[in-house]
Amino acid sequence: MISFATAAPAIGAAFLASLVEVVEAFTIVLAAGTLRGWHAAIAGTAAAVAVLVLIVVALGPLLNQVPIHWLQLVIGTLLLLFGMGWLRKASLRAAGIIPPHDENASFAAQAASLSDAARPGRGSFDWIGGAVAFKAVLLEGLEVVFIVIAVGAGHGLLLPASVGALAACVVVLAIGAIVHRPLARVPENTLKFAVGVILSGFGVFWTGEGLAIAWPGGDLMIPFFGAAFLLAALCATRIARQSTGVPTP
């Protein structure tokens, strides 16, 4: 029986990481549904979700065949690279070196692209709108699947991690259904910063587990590693601001 204290970090990490990906997918699906019709957008979204479910079902038995230490080592390394990539980009955005991601701008760009595409005849299925929704959900969903597997596969926490990812989907869809507009007020860069810290901490922990390192305190080392990455990222952001002359907020 997995305790809540053990499952909570996996749920939280999967929720925050999935929240970013779901917001990006929602923005594109919203543009496709608004401009090309909701029938095609919903069909494309449903098809992508079906493909993602098949991928998860297929990967489950395969993961059970991999020795746990190899699984932890490979996933830990990938998770560390993935988390540090997010952390690097979030730090550069926080330092003002690269512009922040704007969901309104993303929606406008996608809307312009969809508006220029030829429209189908009356009563015909809009394959362009369906394809755009399918691609967005599949690509962002693959990242969610990777995050769930990476966070949960190490210690049998796939179910808690899946719950976190599902909760992120429910939250975004519920808010999106109410406001019916791009979720531009979601602090995406702050989320990416936090997720980068969390995933990097998990990555170091799983990599060490895969190398048979006996961490003192066990799972309690994960927040310690996360705090170390947070401190390093904040220092790097401050140094980057000072080197470019961007004023510190």
Side-chain angles (χ1 to χ4, degrees), residues 147-162:
I147 290 168
V148 168
I149 292 175
V151 171
H155 279 176
L157 298 173
L158 281 175
L159 181 57
S162 299

Side-chain angles (χ1 to χ4, degrees), residues 53-65 145-146 149 158:
V53 170
L54 291 176
I55 291 174
V56 172
V57 171
L59 284 178
L62 293 177
L63 291 176
N64 292 332
Q65 303 301 318
V145 169
F146 168 75
I149 292 175
L158 281 175

Side-chain angles (χ1 to χ4, degrees), residues 91 95 193 227-242:
S91 296
F193 201 99
F229 275 103
L230 176 60
L231 179 61
L234 291 175
C235 291
T237 301
R238 185 177 183 85
I239 292 172
R241 281 184 174 275
Q242 292 176 345

Side-chain angles (χ1 to χ4, degrees), residues 142-243:
L142 285 174
E143 293 198 42
V144 172
V145 169
F146 168 75
I147 290 168
V148 168
I149 292 175
V151 171
H155 279 176
L157 298 173
L158 281 175
L159 181 57
S162 299
V163 169
L166 181 61
C169 295
V170 172
V171 168
V172 172
L173 291 178
I175 296 175
I178 295 172
V179 302
H180 201 69
R181 64 176 58 185
L183 303 183
R185 293 188 178 182
V186 174
E188 182 178 352
N189 200 58
T190 301
L191 285 176
K192 283 191 174 182
F193 201 99
V195 171
V197 167
I198 294 171
L199 296 188
S200 297
F202 268 99
V204 172
F205 183 81
W206 292 147
T207 301
E209 290 272 286
L211 294 173
I213 296 176
W215 297 118
D219 292 349
L220 294 178
M221 289 299 294
I222 296 176
F224 172 80
F225 290 137
F229 275 103
L230 176 60
L231 179 61
L234 291 175
C235 291
T237 301
R238 185 177 183 85
I239 292 172
R241 281 184 174 275
Q242 292 176 345
S243 65

Side-chain angles (χ1 to χ4, degrees), residues 94-178:
I97 296 177
I98 59 177
H101 183 76
D102 188 342
E103 289 300 329
N104 282 329
S106 177
F107 180 88
Q110 194 67 49
S113 176
L114 290 171
S115 297
D116 293 339
R119 294 185 176 276
R122 187 177 183 84
S124 300
F125 184 80
D126 190 344
W127 291 100
I128 294 178
V132 168
F134 176 84
K135 179 183 177 182
V137 175
L138 182 63
L139 292 180
E140 302 298 341
L142 285 174
E143 293 198 42
V144 172
V145 169
F146 168 75
I147 290 168
V148 168
I149 292 175
V151 171
H155 279 176
L157 298 173
L158 281 175
L159 181 57
S162 299
V163 169
L166 181 61
C169 295
V170 172
V171 168
V172 172
L173 291 178
I175 296 175
I178 295 172

Side-chain angles (χ1 to χ4, degrees), residues 81-92:
L81 295 174
F82 194 79
M84 290 186 68
W86 274 27
L87 193 55
R88 172 184 172 275
K89 185 176 291 186
S91 296
L92 291 174

Side-chain angles (χ1 to χ4, degrees), residues 15-71:
F15 175 82
L16 291 176
S18 300
L19 195 64
V20 176
E21 306 300 339
V22 176
V23 167
E24 294 181 359
F26 172 79
T27 299
I28 299 176
V29 172
L30 179 62
T34 302
L35 297 174
R36 308 293 299 193
W38 285 104
H39 177 67
I42 292 175
T45 300
V49 171
V51 172
L52 291 171
V53 170
L54 291 176
I55 291 174
V56 172
V57 171
L59 284 178
L62 293 177
L63 291 176
N64 292 332
Q65 303 301 318
V66 180
I68 184 63
H69 285 301
W70 282 108
L71 186 63

